[in-house]
Amino acid sequence: MSDQSSKPLQSGMTYAQAGVDIDAGNAMVDRIKPLVRATRRPGADSEIGGFGGLFDLKAAGFKDPILVAANDGVGTKVKIAIDSGVHDTVGIDLVAMCVNDLVVQGAEPLFFLDYYATGKLKPETGAAIVKGIADGCIQAGCALIGGETAEMPGLYSGGDYDLAGFSVGAAERGELLPKATLQAGDVLLGLASSGVHSNGFSLVRRVVEKTGLGWNAPCPFDSATTLGKALLTPTRIYVKPLLAAIRQTGAIKALAHITGGGFPDNIPRVLPDTLAADIDLDAIPVLPVFSWLAQEGGIAPLEMLRTFNCGIGMIAIVAEQDAEKVEAVLRAQGEAVHRIGVLTARNSEAVTYRGTLPL
């Protein structure tokens, strides 16, 4: 038998030749480590790079917690980021879509993990995306404890990518929302959105295509920026203001995150079958971006309300006598608050409207 140990390994196909660059992945991890460290909080102080992330609930101050989990993506908003070359804000959107869903249940977001899949990994692009994710985690007060980067040539084309996020929060037992005390006469407090947030972008892109404008064109509804950057304005993260209002007043009965499905699909998710939300459309602070979309796309008001947040990204429901003190806390936290309706006894529809949406 011949001795094989002295022979060189046969040359052949490599993973890199198949389109997956392990060295690029390692380079990206090195770039993002400082970003991840910046998100540390009580309960999470381990380094990324292991096979799983750790979190210590006791160190975070919880005594008898209920865990609440949420996951989401950014949708086709990432296509605008890819086409315009602006990658450092969609990570904020990714965090926002998850943590806003946690806080509406009264939970404090504790940690976050991301999934980033692309056709060709570019460490600088990946680092920009993770920078946004880290920024979002800092805004939400949660730790980025891990994630996954997948290079998948043939499934994604070139520099195309997609994102998914996963977050876990906690609330002490008995403090989850919505409360069973919701009743007719309760007030709906709308918290202003920052823009389109992360829903309805398939329609947004169709409208932009109809106008013939490029992403780097001057923005028709904001002369200070380009159309692409205006539409990439990141989703507002409401976690810290809402947690402050929940803990300081104890008066918030329910919260509704206005995402895909808009007003008619999201508000009923927190209402019993006996109650409806009566929305005063005149009180909604419609942002210029929504007026522009409605005009350029010929989009009817009811379609706008079901597709977009129209200027209200979160709704808090409180008793009428508690509305002023909840508003005061939210405004002190930097939120713009609008009284946009009341709860009524339900006859047929879970959401009814009065007035005219000021498009």
Side-chain angles (χ1 to χ4, degrees):
M1 181 179 295
S2 60
D3 182 7
Q4 300 291 327
S5 62
S6 61
K7 294 183 179 180
L9 292 174
Q10 291 183 349
S11 62
M13 296 171 65
T14 66
Y15 209 9
Q17 290 171 343
V20 178
D21 189 342
I22 294 175
D23 291 335
N26 291 335
M28 179 180 154
V29 170
D30 288 338
R31 284 187 180 217
I32 67 175
K33 279 185 177 180
L35 302 173
V36 174
R37 290 190 196 106
T39 71
R40 287 176 173 173
R41 54 151 292 157
D45 57 6
S46 60
E47 190 74 82
I48 62 166
F51 288 97
L54 306 177
F55 194 91
D56 184 346
L57 279 168
K58 188 174 181 180
F62 287 91
K63 298 176 182 178
D64 187 18
I66 299 291
L67 294 180
V68 184
N71 72 292
D72 211 333
V74 183
T76 60
K77 189 173 186 176
V78 297
K79 185 62 175 170
I80 300 178
I82 293 165
D83 291 346
S84 64
V86 179
H87 305 288
D88 60 351
T89 57
V90 287
I92 299 175
D93 290 293
L94 186 66
V95 175
M97 296 303 289
C98 295
V99 298
N100 284 342
D101 279 354
L102 294 180
V103 76
V104 297
Q105 297 174 86
E108 175 187 341
L110 302 176
F111 58 84
F112 188 87
L113 300 99
D114 69 277
Y115 176 74
Y116 164 47
T118 183
K120 178 63 176 177
L121 181 59
K122 299 178 181 178
E124 63 275 12
T125 298
I129 292 168
V130 175
K131 177 185 182 303
I133 293 172
D135 289 345
C137 286
I138 291 170
Q139 290 181 38
C142 65
L144 178 57
I145 66 169
E148 172 69 8
T149 299
E151 192 172 22
M152 296 191 284
L155 185 58
Y156 295 91
S157 176
D160 283 356
Y161 61 82
D162 198 11
L163 302 171
F166 312 84
S167 191
V168 172
E172 294 292 357
R173 193 178 303 274
E175 295 182 3
L176 292 171
L177 300 177
K179 295 182 179 179
T181 55
L182 288 167
Q183 62 183 5
D186 286 347
V187 174
L188 277 65
L189 302 178
L191 279 63
S193 68
S194 56
V196 184
H197 284 184
S198 298
N199 298 102
F201 273 89
S202 293
L203 180 54
V204 169
R205 291 187 302 112
R206 286 290 295 273
V207 172
V208 173
E209 182 181 359
K210 175 179 175 289
T211 68
L213 293 172
W215 302 121
N216 292 321
C219 179
F221 51 88
D222 184 354
S223 60
T225 188
T226 64
L227 177 59
K229 287 185 177 180
L231 292 173
L232 286 170
T233 299
T235 305
R236 189 165 182 82
I237 293 176
Y238 299 97
V239 169
K240 290 182 179 179
L242 287 176
L243 287 177
I246 289 169
R247 291 166 177 171
Q248 291 178 35
T249 71
I252 292 181
K253 296 185 177 185
L255 294 165
H257 185 198
I258 308 304
T259 57
F263 289 76
D265 286 357
N266 286 294
I267 300 173
R269 295 169 69 178
V270 299
L271 300 181
D273 293 340
T274 57
L275 294 174
D278 180 42
I279 305 295
D280 178 5
L281 296 178
D282 292 310
I284 294 176
V286 175
L287 296 172
V289 60
F290 298 113
S291 297
W292 181 78
L293 288 168
Q295 179 179 346
E296 294 293 338
I299 307 170
L302 288 179
E303 183 68 15
M304 291 293 297
L305 288 164
R306 191 176 186 186
T307 306
F308 301 113
N309 67 63
C310 293
I312 295 293
M314 183 73 71
I315 293 175
I317 305 177
V318 302
E320 184 179 12
Q321 64 268 25
D322 294 326
E324 286 190 8
K325 66 180 179 182
V326 173
E327 287 175 320
V329 174
L330 291 171
R331 289 188 174 123
Q333 292 287 321
E335 296 299 320
V337 188
H338 307 268
R339 296 196 187 195
I340 63 167
V342 295
L343 293 187
T344 61
R346 187 184 303 192
N347 293 319
S348 56
E349 298 297 323
V351 178
T352 60
Y353 305 103
R354 51 191 161 88
T356 304
L357 189 65
L359 292 169

